[in-house]
Amino acid sequence: MNYTINKSAKSSALQPQPEKALVKNSVASYAFASSPEVQNLVCFSHLRWDFVYQRPQHLLSRASKQWNVWYVEEPKWDDTLRLDIRQVDDRLWVVVPHLPHGIDDETAVRLQRQLVNQLLEQEQLNDFIAWYYTPMALRFSGHLKPRLTVYDCMDELSAFSGASPLLLDQEEKLIRKADLVYTGGYSLYEAKQNRHSQVFAFPSCIDAHHFLPGRADIPDPDDQRAIGGPRIGFCGVIDERLDLNLLGQLAKRRPDWQFVLLGPVVKIDPNSLPQASNLHYLGMKNYRDLPAYFGNWQVAMMPFAINEATRYISPTKTPEYLAAGLPVVSTPIRDVVRSYGGWGPVLIGDSAATLEKAIEFALKAGHDADWKAIDARLEEQSWDNTWQQMQRLMNAQLQGVLAEQ
Protein backbone atom coordinates (compact mmCIF):
# COMPACT_ATOMS: atom_id res chain seq x y z
CA MET A 1 0.00 0.00 0.00
CA ASN A 2 1.28 3.42 -0.93
CA TYR A 3 1.26 6.12 1.73
CA THR A 4 1.90 9.67 0.58
CA ILE A 5 2.18 12.94 2.42
CA ASN A 6 1.81 16.19 0.57
CA LYS A 7 3.42 18.89 2.68
CA SER A 8 1.70 21.73 0.89
CA ALA A 9 1.50 25.28 2.18
CA LYS A 10 -1.34 26.28 4.44
CA SER A 11 -4.61 26.75 2.62
CA SER A 12 -6.32 30.10 2.86
CA ALA A 13 -9.56 30.19 4.67
CA LEU A 14 -11.37 29.74 2.29
CA GLN A 15 -25.93 31.01 16.65
CA PRO A 16 -28.25 31.90 18.21
CA GLN A 17 -27.42 30.70 21.71
CA PRO A 18 -29.26 27.48 22.60
CA GLU A 19 -32.76 28.30 23.78
CA LYS A 20 -33.05 27.16 27.38
CA ALA A 21 -36.54 25.85 26.81
CA LEU A 22 -35.23 23.52 24.13
CA VAL A 23 -31.85 22.45 25.42
CA LYS A 24 -32.18 20.31 28.50
CA ASN A 25 -28.40 20.18 28.97
CA SER A 26 -26.85 23.47 30.02
CA VAL A 27 -23.27 24.16 28.98
CA ALA A 28 -22.68 27.04 31.34
CA SER A 29 -22.09 24.99 34.47
CA TYR A 30 -19.20 23.01 32.99
CA ALA A 31 -16.06 25.11 33.32
CA PHE A 32 -13.08 22.79 33.42
CA ALA A 33 -9.47 22.85 32.38
CA SER A 34 -8.43 21.19 29.15
CA SER A 35 -7.11 17.61 29.00
CA PRO A 36 -3.61 18.02 27.54
CA GLU A 37 -2.90 14.29 27.50
CA VAL A 38 -5.22 13.88 24.50
CA GLN A 39 -3.32 15.26 21.55
CA ASN A 40 -5.36 14.20 18.51
CA LEU A 41 -8.83 14.47 17.05
CA VAL A 42 -9.82 12.25 14.10
CA CYS A 43 -12.84 13.47 12.15
CA PHE A 44 -14.84 11.32 9.71
CA SER A 45 -16.74 13.49 7.23
CA HIS A 46 -18.91 13.12 4.14
CA LEU A 47 -17.80 16.58 2.96
CA ARG A 48 -14.58 17.49 1.19
CA TRP A 49 -12.46 19.99 3.09
CA ASP A 50 -12.08 22.08 -0.07
CA PHE A 51 -15.82 22.06 -0.77
CA VAL A 52 -18.04 24.90 0.50
CA TYR A 53 -16.49 26.42 3.62
CA GLN A 54 -19.04 25.66 6.31
CA ARG A 55 -19.60 24.13 9.74
CA PRO A 56 -16.84 21.46 9.70
CA GLN A 57 -14.18 23.91 8.59
CA HIS A 58 -15.22 26.58 11.08
CA LEU A 59 -15.27 24.20 14.04
CA LEU A 60 -12.31 21.98 13.27
CA SER A 61 -10.04 24.90 12.44
CA ARG A 62 -10.75 26.07 15.97
CA ALA A 63 -10.32 22.56 17.37
CA SER A 64 -6.81 22.52 15.92
CA LYS A 65 -5.82 25.18 18.45
CA GLN A 66 -6.03 22.47 21.14
CA TRP A 67 -5.59 19.19 19.27
CA ASN A 68 -3.95 17.85 16.13
CA VAL A 69 -6.90 17.39 13.76
CA TRP A 70 -7.01 14.63 11.14
CA TYR A 71 -9.92 15.21 8.75
CA VAL A 72 -10.76 11.93 7.02
CA GLU A 73 -12.81 12.41 3.87
CA GLU A 74 -14.90 9.90 1.96
CA PRO A 75 -12.80 7.80 -0.45
CA LYS A 76 -11.90 8.68 -4.00
CA TRP A 77 -11.89 5.99 -6.65
CA ASP A 78 -8.52 5.44 -8.28
CA ASP A 79 -6.28 2.84 -9.92
CA THR A 80 -4.42 2.04 -6.71
CA LEU A 81 -5.04 1.69 -3.01
CA ARG A 82 -3.40 4.51 -1.12
CA LEU A 83 -3.83 7.19 1.53
CA ASP A 84 -3.05 10.82 0.79
CA ILE A 85 -2.37 13.22 3.65
CA ARG A 86 -2.23 16.96 3.06
CA GLN A 87 -1.39 19.52 5.72
CA VAL A 88 -3.65 22.58 5.53
CA ASP A 89 -2.72 24.30 8.80
CA ASP A 90 -0.17 24.00 11.59
CA ARG A 91 -2.14 21.26 13.33
CA LEU A 92 -4.69 20.20 10.73
CA TRP A 93 -4.35 17.50 8.07
CA VAL A 94 -6.79 16.34 5.38
CA VAL A 95 -6.73 12.57 4.85
CA VAL A 96 -8.07 11.14 1.58
CA PRO A 97 -8.41 7.36 1.13
CA HIS A 98 -8.07 6.16 -2.48
CA LEU A 99 -9.76 2.88 -3.37
CA PRO A 100 -9.33 0.85 -6.55
CA HIS A 101 -12.12 0.75 -9.13
CA GLY A 102 -14.31 -2.28 -9.46
CA ILE A 103 -14.45 -3.51 -5.85
CA ASP A 104 -17.68 -4.44 -4.10
CA ASP A 105 -19.11 -2.67 -1.06
CA GLU A 106 -17.81 -5.19 1.46
CA THR A 107 -14.29 -4.92 0.09
CA ALA A 108 -14.49 -1.12 0.10
CA VAL A 109 -15.38 -1.13 3.81
CA ARG A 110 -12.56 -3.58 4.58
CA LEU A 111 -9.98 -1.51 2.70
CA GLN A 112 -11.10 1.74 4.36
CA ARG A 113 -10.70 0.04 7.73
CA GLN A 114 -7.22 -1.00 6.67
CA LEU A 115 -6.32 2.54 5.64
CA VAL A 116 -7.65 4.01 8.89
CA ASN A 117 -5.59 1.52 10.86
CA GLN A 118 -2.57 2.51 8.75
CA LEU A 119 -3.17 6.19 9.56
CA LEU A 120 -3.37 5.55 13.29
CA GLU A 121 -0.28 3.35 13.28
CA GLN A 122 1.97 5.58 11.16
CA GLU A 123 0.96 8.79 12.92
CA GLN A 124 0.99 7.10 16.34
CA LEU A 125 -2.56 8.16 17.12
CA ASN A 126 -2.92 5.95 20.16
CA ASP A 127 -5.07 8.28 22.24
CA PHE A 128 -7.55 10.39 20.34
CA ILE A 129 -11.02 11.90 20.06
CA ALA A 130 -13.30 10.60 17.28
CA TRP A 131 -15.57 13.23 15.70
CA TYR A 132 -18.23 12.14 13.22
CA TYR A 133 -20.21 14.01 10.57
CA THR A 134 -21.34 10.88 8.79
CA PRO A 135 -22.68 7.78 10.55
CA MET A 136 -21.68 5.71 7.50
CA ALA A 137 -18.03 6.02 8.57
CA LEU A 138 -18.84 3.80 11.53
CA ARG A 139 -18.82 0.82 9.15
CA PHE A 140 -15.02 1.03 8.87
CA SER A 141 -14.18 2.80 12.15
CA GLY A 142 -16.50 1.12 14.64
CA HIS A 143 -13.66 -1.07 15.91
CA LEU A 144 -11.68 1.97 17.11
CA LYS A 145 -11.51 2.81 20.80
CA PRO A 146 -11.22 6.59 21.07
CA ARG A 147 -11.06 8.35 24.40
CA LEU A 148 -14.15 10.37 23.43
CA THR A 149 -16.71 10.09 20.61
CA VAL A 150 -18.61 13.14 19.35
CA TYR A 151 -21.40 13.09 16.78
CA ASP A 152 -21.89 16.55 15.28
CA CYS A 153 -25.18 16.08 13.44
CA MET A 154 -25.25 19.04 11.07
CA ASP A 155 -27.98 17.68 8.76
CA GLU A 156 -30.60 14.95 8.59
CA LEU A 157 -28.60 13.09 5.96
CA SER A 158 -31.19 10.32 5.60
CA ALA A 159 -33.56 12.86 4.02
CA PHE A 160 -31.12 13.80 1.27
CA SER A 161 -31.33 12.51 -2.28
CA GLY A 162 -29.30 9.34 -2.77
CA ALA A 163 -28.93 8.60 0.95
CA SER A 164 -27.83 5.06 1.75
CA PRO A 165 -30.58 2.75 3.05
CA LEU A 166 -28.09 1.80 5.78
CA LEU A 167 -27.78 5.34 7.11
CA LEU A 168 -30.52 5.27 9.75
CA ASP A 169 -29.23 2.00 11.20
CA GLN A 170 -25.68 3.34 11.27
CA GLU A 171 -26.85 6.55 12.93
CA GLU A 172 -28.57 4.56 15.66
CA LYS A 173 -25.29 2.72 16.31
CA LEU A 174 -23.33 5.98 16.33
CA ILE A 175 -25.71 7.62 18.78
CA ARG A 176 -25.31 4.64 21.11
CA LYS A 177 -21.54 4.86 20.80
CA ALA A 178 -21.26 8.65 21.15
CA ASP A 179 -20.44 10.40 24.42
CA LEU A 180 -21.77 13.73 23.13
CA VAL A 181 -24.25 14.61 20.38
CA TYR A 182 -24.27 18.11 18.92
CA THR A 183 -26.93 19.27 16.47
CA GLY A 184 -26.74 21.95 13.79
CA GLY A 185 -30.13 23.44 14.64
CA TYR A 186 -33.07 23.43 17.03
CA SER A 187 -35.26 21.23 14.85
CA LEU A 188 -32.50 18.62 14.70
CA TYR A 189 -32.14 18.91 18.47
CA GLU A 190 -35.82 18.18 18.95
CA ALA A 191 -35.49 15.13 16.69
CA LYS A 192 -32.48 13.71 18.59
CA GLN A 193 -32.96 14.86 22.18
CA ASN A 194 -34.70 11.71 23.41
CA ARG A 195 -32.21 9.37 21.79
CA HIS A 196 -29.21 10.27 23.97
CA SER A 197 -28.63 11.71 27.43
CA GLN A 198 -26.12 14.34 26.27
CA VAL A 199 -27.57 16.21 23.28
CA PHE A 200 -26.80 19.90 22.75
CA ALA A 201 -28.12 22.33 20.12
CA PHE A 202 -25.52 24.46 18.38
CA PRO A 203 -27.23 26.20 15.44
CA SER A 204 -25.59 28.07 12.59
CA CYS A 205 -23.06 30.66 13.67
CA ILE A 206 -21.18 33.54 12.15
CA ASP A 207 -17.69 34.92 11.71
CA ALA A 208 -19.17 38.42 11.66
CA HIS A 209 -15.91 40.31 11.18
CA HIS A 210 -15.24 38.36 7.99
CA PHE A 211 -18.43 39.69 6.38
CA LEU A 212 -18.42 43.25 7.74
CA PRO A 213 -16.45 44.59 4.72
CA GLY A 214 -19.59 43.84 2.69
CA ARG A 215 -21.20 46.89 4.29
CA ALA A 216 -18.55 49.23 2.90
CA ASP A 217 -17.87 50.34 -0.65
CA ILE A 218 -16.11 47.19 -1.77
CA PRO A 219 -15.00 46.48 -5.37
CA ASP A 220 -17.36 44.33 -7.41
CA PRO A 221 -15.90 40.94 -8.44
CA ASP A 222 -15.06 40.66 -12.14
CA ASP A 223 -17.68 38.06 -13.00
CA GLN A 224 -20.44 40.07 -11.31
CA ARG A 225 -19.52 43.56 -12.47
CA ALA A 226 -21.41 43.44 -15.76
CA ILE A 227 -24.65 42.28 -14.12
CA GLY A 228 -27.15 45.10 -13.70
CA GLY A 229 -29.33 45.74 -10.72
CA PRO A 230 -31.02 45.51 -8.44
CA ARG A 231 -29.33 42.26 -7.49
CA ILE A 232 -30.94 39.58 -5.37
CA GLY A 233 -28.37 36.97 -4.37
CA PHE A 234 -28.12 33.43 -3.06
CA CYS A 235 -24.98 31.65 -1.87
CA GLY A 236 -24.84 27.95 -1.05
CA VAL A 237 -25.02 24.47 -2.48
CA ILE A 238 -27.52 24.29 -5.33
CA ASP A 239 -29.25 20.93 -4.85
CA GLU A 240 -32.64 19.36 -4.14
CA ARG A 241 -33.15 21.72 -1.22
CA LEU A 242 -33.70 24.69 -3.54
CA ASP A 243 -37.15 25.29 -4.99
CA LEU A 244 -36.12 25.67 -8.63
CA ASN A 245 -39.68 26.19 -9.79
CA LEU A 246 -40.07 29.05 -7.31
CA LEU A 247 -36.80 30.58 -8.48
CA GLY A 248 -37.94 30.40 -12.10
CA GLN A 249 -41.26 32.01 -11.23
CA LEU A 250 -39.54 34.89 -9.46
CA ALA A 251 -37.24 35.52 -12.41
CA LYS A 252 -40.20 35.49 -14.76
CA ARG A 253 -42.33 37.79 -12.59
CA ARG A 254 -39.56 40.37 -12.22
CA PRO A 255 -37.40 40.58 -15.36
CA ASP A 256 -36.16 43.94 -14.05
CA TRP A 257 -34.40 42.20 -11.13
CA GLN A 258 -31.15 40.28 -11.45
CA PHE A 259 -30.87 36.98 -9.54
CA VAL A 260 -27.28 35.96 -8.74
CA LEU A 261 -26.54 32.45 -7.46
CA LEU A 262 -23.17 31.40 -6.05
CA GLY A 263 -22.34 27.78 -5.31
CA PRO A 264 -21.80 24.35 -6.83
CA VAL A 265 -24.59 22.36 -8.46
CA VAL A 266 -24.73 19.02 -6.63
CA LYS A 267 -26.84 15.86 -7.07
CA ILE A 268 -29.20 17.49 -9.55
CA ASP A 269 -29.00 17.80 -13.32
CA PRO A 270 -27.60 21.25 -14.22
CA ASN A 271 -30.01 21.21 -17.15
CA SER A 272 -32.87 21.33 -14.64
CA LEU A 273 -31.88 24.82 -13.48
CA PRO A 274 -34.30 27.51 -14.66
CA GLN A 275 -32.81 29.70 -17.36
CA ALA A 276 -33.51 33.36 -18.05
CA SER A 277 -31.56 36.48 -18.96
CA ASN A 278 -31.86 37.68 -15.36
CA LEU A 279 -30.67 34.42 -13.77
CA HIS A 280 -26.90 34.23 -13.25
CA TYR A 281 -25.14 31.08 -11.99
CA LEU A 282 -21.58 32.10 -11.09
CA GLY A 283 -20.36 28.84 -9.54
CA MET A 284 -18.56 28.15 -6.27
CA LYS A 285 -16.52 30.96 -4.72
CA ASN A 286 -13.75 31.04 -2.16
CA TYR A 287 -14.95 31.90 1.34
CA ARG A 288 -12.60 34.87 1.49
CA ASP A 289 -14.27 36.42 -1.59
CA LEU A 290 -17.87 36.23 -0.39
CA PRO A 291 -17.98 39.69 1.27
CA ALA A 292 -17.23 41.31 -2.10
CA TYR A 293 -20.15 39.50 -3.72
CA PHE A 294 -22.53 40.13 -0.82
CA GLY A 295 -21.50 43.78 -0.61
CA ASN A 296 -22.67 44.39 -4.15
CA TRP A 297 -26.11 42.82 -3.73
CA GLN A 298 -29.18 44.68 -2.54
CA VAL A 299 -31.11 41.72 -1.06
CA ALA A 300 -30.17 38.16 -0.11
CA MET A 301 -32.61 35.34 -0.74
CA MET A 302 -33.07 31.77 0.47
CA PRO A 303 -35.61 30.15 -1.87
CA PHE A 304 -35.58 26.76 -0.17
CA ALA A 305 -38.16 24.12 -0.93
CA ILE A 306 -40.31 22.98 1.97
CA ASN A 307 -39.64 19.25 1.97
CA GLU A 308 -37.99 16.47 3.99
CA ALA A 309 -34.51 17.59 2.90
CA THR A 310 -35.08 21.07 4.42
CA ARG A 311 -37.11 20.08 7.46
CA TYR A 312 -34.14 20.28 9.84
CA ILE A 313 -31.80 22.76 8.16
CA SER A 314 -30.47 25.84 9.92
CA PRO A 315 -28.86 27.85 7.09
CA THR A 316 -25.48 29.33 7.98
CA LYS A 317 -26.03 31.98 5.34
CA THR A 318 -28.75 33.75 7.36
CA PRO A 319 -26.35 35.38 9.86
CA GLU A 320 -23.67 35.81 7.16
CA TYR A 321 -26.03 37.85 4.99
CA LEU A 322 -27.00 39.96 7.99
CA ALA A 323 -23.37 40.53 8.93
CA ALA A 324 -22.83 41.92 5.43
CA GLY A 325 -25.72 44.34 6.00
CA LEU A 326 -28.17 42.59 3.67
CA PRO A 327 -31.89 42.17 4.25
CA VAL A 328 -32.85 38.50 3.93
CA VAL A 329 -35.91 37.07 2.21
CA SER A 330 -36.58 33.39 2.87
CA THR A 331 -39.19 30.72 2.47
CA PRO A 332 -40.59 29.56 5.86
CA ILE A 333 -37.76 27.27 6.93
CA ARG A 334 -38.60 26.38 10.51
CA ASP A 335 -35.27 27.29 12.11
CA VAL A 336 -35.07 30.55 10.15
CA VAL A 337 -38.54 31.60 11.31
CA ARG A 338 -37.81 30.53 14.88
CA SER A 339 -34.42 32.21 15.20
CA TYR A 340 -34.71 35.24 12.93
CA GLY A 341 -38.39 35.76 12.11
CA GLY A 342 -38.73 38.67 14.54
CA TRP A 343 -35.72 40.52 13.15
CA GLY A 344 -36.65 43.53 11.00
CA PRO A 345 -34.53 42.76 7.93
CA VAL A 346 -35.55 39.06 7.79
CA LEU A 347 -38.71 38.64 5.74
CA ILE A 348 -40.62 35.41 5.07
CA GLY A 349 -42.70 34.42 2.04
CA ASP A 350 -44.27 31.12 1.07
CA SER A 351 -44.95 31.70 -2.64
CA ALA A 352 -43.55 33.53 -5.63
CA ALA A 353 -46.05 36.35 -5.05
CA THR A 354 -45.27 36.82 -1.34
CA LEU A 355 -41.52 36.53 -1.91
CA GLU A 356 -41.77 39.14 -4.66
CA LYS A 357 -43.54 41.51 -2.29
CA ALA A 358 -40.99 40.86 0.44
CA ILE A 359 -38.06 41.54 -1.91
CA GLU A 360 -39.73 44.70 -3.16
CA PHE A 361 -40.28 45.80 0.46
CA ALA A 362 -36.62 45.09 1.28
CA LEU A 363 -35.38 46.98 -1.79
CA LYS A 364 -37.30 50.03 -0.62
CA ALA A 365 -35.77 49.62 2.85
CA GLY A 366 -39.25 49.32 4.25
CA HIS A 367 -38.08 47.00 7.00
CA ASP A 368 -37.37 48.38 10.46
CA ALA A 369 -33.76 47.35 11.10
CA ASP A 370 -31.93 48.16 14.31
CA TRP A 371 -28.52 47.16 13.00
CA LYS A 372 -26.79 47.98 16.27
CA ALA A 373 -28.95 45.43 18.09
CA ILE A 374 -28.55 42.96 15.23
CA ASP A 375 -24.76 43.29 15.38
CA ALA A 376 -24.81 42.66 19.12
CA ARG A 377 -26.81 39.47 18.56
CA LEU A 378 -24.48 38.35 15.77
CA GLU A 379 -21.49 38.88 18.02
CA GLU A 380 -23.03 36.48 20.55
CA GLN A 381 -23.56 33.91 17.79
CA SER A 382 -19.91 33.66 16.84
CA TRP A 383 -18.21 30.41 15.89
CA ASP A 384 -15.66 31.23 18.61
CA ASN A 385 -18.34 31.23 21.32
CA THR A 386 -19.89 28.04 19.99
CA TRP A 387 -16.56 26.24 19.83
CA GLN A 388 -15.73 27.31 23.38
CA GLN A 389 -18.98 25.74 24.60
CA MET A 390 -18.40 22.56 22.62
CA GLN A 391 -14.83 22.33 23.87
CA ARG A 392 -15.91 22.86 27.47
CA LEU A 393 -18.30 19.93 27.19
CA MET A 394 -15.64 17.73 25.64
CA ASN A 395 -13.05 18.56 28.28
CA ALA A 396 -15.60 17.90 31.02
CA GLN A 397 -16.46 14.54 29.45
CA LEU A 398 -12.78 13.64 29.15
CA GLN A 399 -12.41 14.26 32.86
CA GLY A 400 -15.41 12.08 33.61
CA VAL A 401 -17.49 14.94 34.98
CA LEU A 402 -20.53 14.68 32.73
CA ALA A 403 -20.80 10.97 33.40
CA GLU A 404 -21.28 11.74 37.08
CA GLN A 405 -24.09 14.27 36.56
Side-chain angles (χ1 to χ4, degrees):
M1 173 169 52
N2 297 320
Y3 180 85
T4 63
I5 300 179
N6 178 10
K7 294 184 178 179
S8 58
K10 297 179 187 177
S11 64
S12 58
L14 354 187
Q15 95 206 173
Q17 298 297 321
E19 297 177 13
K20 293 180 180 178
L22 290 176
V23 185
K24 66 174 179 282
N25 293 314
S26 171
V27 182
S29 60
Y30 303 120
F32 302 95
S34 63
S35 296
E37 66 274 12
V38 180
Q39 298 294 323
N40 296 282
L41 184 153
V42 181
C43 173
F44 298 98
S45 180
H46 59 295
L47 297 170
R48 301 286 176 202
W49 184 264
D50 292 330
F51 189 54
V52 177
Y53 199 90
Q54 52 189 309
R55 185 182 181 94
Q57 291 89 338
H58 280 294
L59 293 175
L60 295 176
S61 293
R62 288 163 172 80
S64 70
K65 306 304 179 187
Q66 178 174 353
W67 299 295
N68 297 320
V69 173
W70 306 85
Y71 186 86
V72 182
E73 296 183 349
E74 288 191 334
K76 291 184 177 180
W77 299 98
D78 209 335
D79 295 330
T80 59
L81 176 68
R82 73 177 192 273
L83 191 68
D84 286 347
I85 300 179
R86 174 171 58 96
Q87 187 168 6
V88 296
D89 212 334
D90 289 339
R91 300 182 66 181
L92 199 155
W93 292 263
V94 173
V95 181
V96 186
H98 288 250
L99 301 182
H101 296 289
I103 60 176
D104 59 28
D105 180 65
E106 210 171 290
T107 302
V109 171
R110 177 176 59 81
L111 291 179
Q112 286 181 86
R113 186 182 301 117
Q114 178 181 328
L115 291 175
V116 167
N117 290 341
Q118 179 81 6
L119 171 69
L120 268 59
E121 179 182 350
Q122 294 200 15
E123 299 299 333
Q124 299 181 357
L125 308 181
N126 302 316
D127 192 16
F128 63 94
I129 295 164
W131 181 291
Y132 287 85
Y133 280 110
T134 171
M136 295 300 290
L138 203 62
R139 299 180 71 202
F140 57 84
S141 65
H143 65 291
L144 302 178
K145 299 189 182 302
R147 177 81 72 89
L148 178 73
T149 298
V150 178
Y151 176 27
D152 187 20
C153 180
M154 63 180 286
D155 286 305
E156 188 62 73
L157 296 178
S158 63
F160 282 28
S161 175
S164 169
L166 302 176
L167 202 150
L168 287 176
D169 179 61
Q170 290 301 309
E171 184 183 58
E172 183 60 35
K173 292 178 181 178
L174 178 56
I175 288 177
R176 289 200 302 267
K177 183 181 179 69
D179 299 291
L180 293 168
V181 177
Y182 301 149
T183 68
Y186 296 128
S187 295
L188 268 176
Y189 170 81
E190 291 171 338
K192 310 295 181 185
Q193 63 176 321
N194 294 324
R195 298 174 62 188
H196 195 281
S197 62
Q198 301 291 345
V199 183
F200 299 85
F202 290 106
S204 298
C205 304
I206 175 68
D207 181 0
H209 296 289
H210 179 78
F211 290 94
L212 281 177
R215 299 188 184 187
D217 186 12
I218 189 169
D220 210 353
D222 291 342
D223 61 347
Q224 185 173 258
R225 192 171 299 136
I227 299 173
R231 296 174 184 162
I232 296 90
F234 168 83
C235 178
V237 178
I238 300 172
D239 58 15
E240 77 268 25
R241 291 172 293 178
L242 278 196
D243 190 332
L244 298 180
N245 181 55
L246 183 63
L247 178 62
Q249 289 182 53
L250 277 171
K252 186 175 181 179
R253 293 174 71 97
R254 295 306 299 251
D256 54 323
W257 294 348
Q258 302 301 313
F259 297 89
V260 179
L261 291 94
L262 311 180
V265 180
V266 177
K267 295 190 297 183
I268 61 172
D269 183 355
N271 293 323
S272 68
L273 299 178
Q275 301 295 324
S277 60
N278 61 336
L279 279 169
H280 310 274
Y281 303 97
L282 302 187
M284 188 165 73
K285 304 301 175 187
N286 194 295
Y287 180 72
R288 67 168 176 261
D289 297 328
L290 295 184
Y293 285 92
F294 292 7
N296 288 283
W297 296 349
Q298 282 69 55
V299 177
M301 66 175 176
M302 297 194 297
F304 288 112
I306 305 301
N307 57 28
E308 281 302 305
T310 63
R311 182 179 177 185
Y312 300 104
I313 65 172
S314 178
T316 305
K317 285 296 171 286
T318 315
E320 291 178 350
Y321 291 149
L322 291 169
L326 284 167
V328 182
V329 175
S330 175
T331 49
I333 295 299
R334 187 179 180 192
D335 279 11
V336 174
V337 174
R338 168 184 283 163
S339 299
Y340 301 97
W343 296 27
V346 179
L347 307 170
I348 307 297
D350 60 1
S351 67
T354 56
L355 286 173
E356 178 188 1
K357 289 181 180 178
I359 293 171
E360 192 169 40
F361 188 70
L363 286 171
K364 294 177 180 177
H367 55 80
D368 181 20
D370 182 353
W371 286 103
K372 186 174 181 180
I374 290 169
D375 289 345
R377 290 280 298 276
L378 292 176
E379 192 67 30
E380 293 175 357
Q381 296 169 207
S382 72
W383 285 112
D384 285 339
N385 287 347
T386 288
W387 174 247
Q388 288 170 11
Q389 293 182 63
M390 288 181 166
Q391 186 181 38
R392 189 179 301 128
L393 288 165
M394 294 166 70
N395 288 330
Q397 184 75 56
L398 286 167
Q399 296 176 46
V401 177
L402 290 185
E404 298 170 4
Q405 300 300 311

